[in-house]
Amino acid sequence: MKLNVMRRLYDWVLEWAEKPSARIALFVLAFAESSFFPVPPDILLIPLALGFRKKWFKLALIATSASALGGVFGYLIGWKLWWTFSGEFTSVADFFFKIIPGFTQEWFYSMREKYELYNFWIVFTAGFTPIPYKVITISAGAFNINFLVFMVASVISRGARFFLISFLIFRFGKPIKTFIDKYFNWLALLCTFLLVLGFLLLKGIL
């Protein structure tokens, strides 16, 4: 049942690529996906970049800016709407635990210590890889991690993801679309590994 719902959502998003308001739809989708919507904006960005290849930069900029703003909204949800005055979960928190797969109370609490150690890299990795970004934006706000660090990591990671996809579509067209569709998860994880490796080398850890 859930797979059918997701399939319909994906198909519905793809239909916007043929409409005059496609760029507005891209902005709305990128914003919503960062805080509550399950479909990633890549699904709409790829066909738009194929249809308007010379505007790849503008499309990537739209997706990046909207996603970063949506991340702020997710952060605010966690910061302002997650806890009751007595420190219990609100009905808003319970709602998100129910609708986001894998987002459990146990996982949520396990993130507290990780944020204290790796706050930038947690946000960056979620922003660039297939990890649900909304889970990170909300939990970052709930644990009140440094907002400036959160924003820098969000803009860099989301920008790296969307500009990379849009540029590859501009440069290589349909063949790269097929390649991205098939291997994007692995490519994103590889790029994140290389960036973290570079960070460790710069720090003299390795």
Side-chain angles (χ1 to χ4, degrees):
M1 183 64 178
K2 288 185 178 180
L3 289 176
N4 291 333
V5 171
M6 287 300 298
R7 182 72 244 181
R8 287 198 294 270
L9 281 173
Y10 269 75
D11 292 341
W12 177 74
V13 168
L14 282 173
E15 289 176 5
W16 283 96
E18 306 296 328
K19 298 181 180 180
S21 55
R23 292 176 199 173
I24 297 175
L26 176 63
F27 185 94
V28 172
L29 176 61
F31 180 95
E33 187 270 339
S34 294
S35 49
F36 60 89
F37 197 66
V39 180
D42 316 66
I43 302 301
L44 185 53
L45 175 61
I46 290 173
L48 282 178
L50 269 176
F52 305 96
R53 288 173 65 180
K54 291 184 178 180
K55 297 184 178 180
W56 69 272
F57 188 92
K58 184 175 183 179
L59 292 169
L61 185 61
I62 290 172
T64 300
S65 57
S67 186
L69 289 173
V72 173
F73 183 61
Y75 186 98
L76 290 174
I77 290 174
W79 184 34
K80 292 293 187 181
L81 303 177
W82 206 252
W83 308 104
T84 65
F85 289 114
S86 60
E88 302 294 328
F89 290 122
T90 64
S91 57
V92 172
D94 290 334
F95 173 75
F96 277 92
F97 286 133
K98 290 178 181 178
I99 67 168
I100 300 178
F103 191 28
T104 63
Q105 293 184 16
E106 292 75 19
W107 181 93
F108 177 79
Y109 279 121
S110 74
M111 290 299 294
R112 187 192 298 270
E113 183 178 348
K114 294 182 177 65
Y115 272 125
E116 292 175 357
L117 297 172
Y118 313 110
N119 50 10
F120 176 91
W121 290 106
I122 289 174
V123 177
F124 175 87
T125 302
F128 191 72
T129 66
I131 297 171
Y133 183 53
K134 65 189 71 59
V135 169
I136 299 302
T137 64
I138 293 171
S139 58
F143 292 132
N144 198 24
I145 75 163
N146 185 283
F147 183 71
L148 180 59
V149 171
F150 170 80
M151 283 304 301
V152 171
S154 293
V155 172
I156 293 175
S157 62
R158 298 269 91 178
R161 174 171 174 155
F162 298 136
F163 275 93
L164 176 62
I165 291 173
S166 196
F167 174 75
L168 290 175
I169 293 294
F170 164 74
R171 182 66 179 81
F172 299 105
K174 289 186 177 180
I176 197 63
K177 175 184 181 297
T178 303
F179 183 79
I180 290 173
D181 287 343
K182 189 173 182 179
Y183 297 110
F184 178 76
N185 289 358
W186 288 107
L187 290 170
L189 290 171
L190 175 62
C191 288
T192 299
F193 170 76
L194 293 174
L195 284 168
V196 172
L197 181 63
F199 170 77
L200 295 176
L201 289 171
L202 286 173
K203 286 288 190 179
I205 297 174
L206 294 179

